[in-house]
Amino acid sequence: ETGVLLLRACLALLAMPIYLLSFLGIWKPFCSKIFFPYFLEKLSATHNKKTHKQKQELFRNLPEFAGASGELKLLEIGTGGGANFQFYPPGCKVTCTDINPHFQKTLTRNMKQNQHLHFERFLVAAAEDLSQVASGSVDAVVCTLVLCSVSDVDRALREVLRVLRPGGVFYFLDHVAADRSSWKYFWQQSCFPTWKLMFAGCCLTRELWKNLEQANFSELKLQHISVPVAWTPIKPHIIGYAVK
């Protein structure tokens, strides 16, 4: 505990300008409009390289969840710049949502590069409130590197279940807390306050697999993996899908 507090204090001193900007109310709008979209674009490119095979395998069975008409209606929560588009099957009808509307440049570029998809609409919406999406209206929901940042994980999962049709599927990939007895967890605990401030509320120590296990899915396929993103505390991940 003493070591964690000491390292937290050291990191806070190093990040003092950001804490000051946050106190003055300047950091949050700057982070939302400029810093976080830039950071996420770079992180997504690196993360996609590290998880390319895992994502290919994860989304391999997406076509099996097409509706009775043969169309696959997919809702992506926290789309960001559209890093997952390349993994979706041809003809897939995609609705994009994000709480942050400032990803237009990267999102537009990825849409142009993935014209095998039909993009239906973009909604500014939090994962916990998808009221703009009708209940039981989509075949699949995708959420990658998002549950780490939502304010209420359980509420977000309830919204996922609501918008999915019976038999629909939820795909997830996110970083999670390391084993509590490990040095990785010690490092996560130390970085937690400064990391959360700098990266738009991202939490390092969430045990998201517990939320998924307690949600009302009829089937859950979940795997713990390590994603070697250098010099970051986000190596432990979970990946998988759940059926309504």
Side-chain angles (χ1 to χ4, degrees), residues 94-143:
V94 182
T95 296
C96 304
T97 74
D98 206 292
I99 195 172
N100 186 341
H102 301 291
F103 292 100
Q104 294 96 329
K105 184 178 178 181
T106 309
L107 185 61
T108 300
R109 183 174 68 244
N110 277 328
M111 283 179 169
K112 289 179 179 177
Q113 291 174 352
N114 291 277
Q115 295 187 14
H116 64 290
L117 305 176
H118 297 296
F119 296 101
E120 297 205 298
R121 54 180 176 158
F122 177 84
L123 306 173
V124 179
E128 301 93 329
D129 182 9
L130 300 172
S131 56
Q132 298 175 77
V133 182
S135 299
S137 63
V138 297
D139 303 303
V141 175
V142 174
C143 189

Side-chain angles (χ1 to χ4, degrees), residues 15-58:
M16 187 56 67
I18 295 175
Y19 278 91
L20 178 60
L21 290 173
S22 178
F23 177 76
L24 295 173
I26 298 171
W27 175 252
K28 189 173 181 179
F30 172 78
C31 180
S32 174
K33 293 179 182 179
I34 299 172
F35 175 75
F36 193 64
Y38 173 81
F39 168 78
L40 190 62
E41 180 181 2
K42 302 302 180 185
L43 176 65
S44 295
T46 301
H47 196 269
N48 258 3
K49 289 179 182 177
K50 302 288 185 181
T51 60
H52 189 83
K53 290 183 179 179
Q54 288 95 332
K55 281 190 174 183
Q56 279 186 322
E57 180 61 25
L58 175 65

Side-chain angles (χ1 to χ4, degrees), residues 47-236:
H47 196 269
N48 258 3
K49 289 179 182 177
K50 302 288 185 181
T51 60
H52 189 83
K53 290 183 179 179
Q54 288 95 332
K55 281 190 174 183
Q56 279 186 322
E57 180 61 25
L58 175 65
F59 295 120
R60 181 177 55 83
N61 65 344
L62 244 178
E64 298 175 14
F65 291 95
S69 65
E71 292 181 340
L72 179 65
K73 295 181 179 180
L74 184 148
L75 171 72
E76 181 164 0
I77 299 173
T79 305
N84 293 320
F85 292 163
Q86 61 181 296
F87 301 101
Y88 299 157
C92 180
K93 291 189 172 182
V94 182
T95 296
C96 304
T97 74
D98 206 292
I99 195 172
N100 186 341
H102 301 291
F103 292 100
Q104 294 96 329
K105 184 178 178 181
T106 309
L107 185 61
T108 300
R109 183 174 68 244
N110 277 328
M111 283 179 169
K112 289 179 179 177
Q113 291 174 352
N114 291 277
Q115 295 187 14
H116 64 290
L117 305 176
H118 297 296
F119 296 101
E120 297 205 298
R121 54 180 176 158
F122 177 84
L123 306 173
V124 179
E128 301 93 329
D129 182 9
L130 300 172
S131 56
Q132 298 175 77
V133 182
S135 299
S137 63
V138 297
D139 303 303
V141 175
V142 174
C143 189
T144 63
L145 299 181
V146 173
L147 293 177
C148 57
S149 301
V150 301
S151 58
D152 189 330
V153 176
D154 293 329
R155 187 177 171 188
L157 292 177
R158 286 195 294 271
E159 279 292 85
V160 169
L161 282 162
R162 181 185 65 79
V163 301
L164 279 173
R165 64 163 175 80
V169 63
F170 172 53
Y171 293 91
F172 55 86
L173 169 62
D174 221 314
H175 66 86
V176 293
D179 184 277
R180 290 186 177 226
S181 62
S182 67
W183 281 106
K184 288 179 182 178
Y185 188 73
F186 173 80
W187 178 233
Q188 288 177 332
Q189 286 279 78
S190 302
C191 293
F192 185 93
T194 299
W195 183 276
K196 185 176 182 180
L197 173 65
M198 289 183 65
F199 301 114
C202 177
C203 297
L204 293 170
T205 56
R206 286 185 172 171
E207 297 174 331
L208 295 172
W209 62 91
K210 294 182 178 179
N211 301 90
L212 285 159
E213 288 166 354
Q214 293 166 6
N216 192 28
F217 290 103
S218 62
E219 180 184 353
L220 176 63
K221 302 288 186 182
L222 185 150
Q223 182 182 2
H224 289 259
I225 63 172
S226 179
V227 179
V229 183
W231 304 105
T232 71
I234 61 169
K235 293 182 181 180

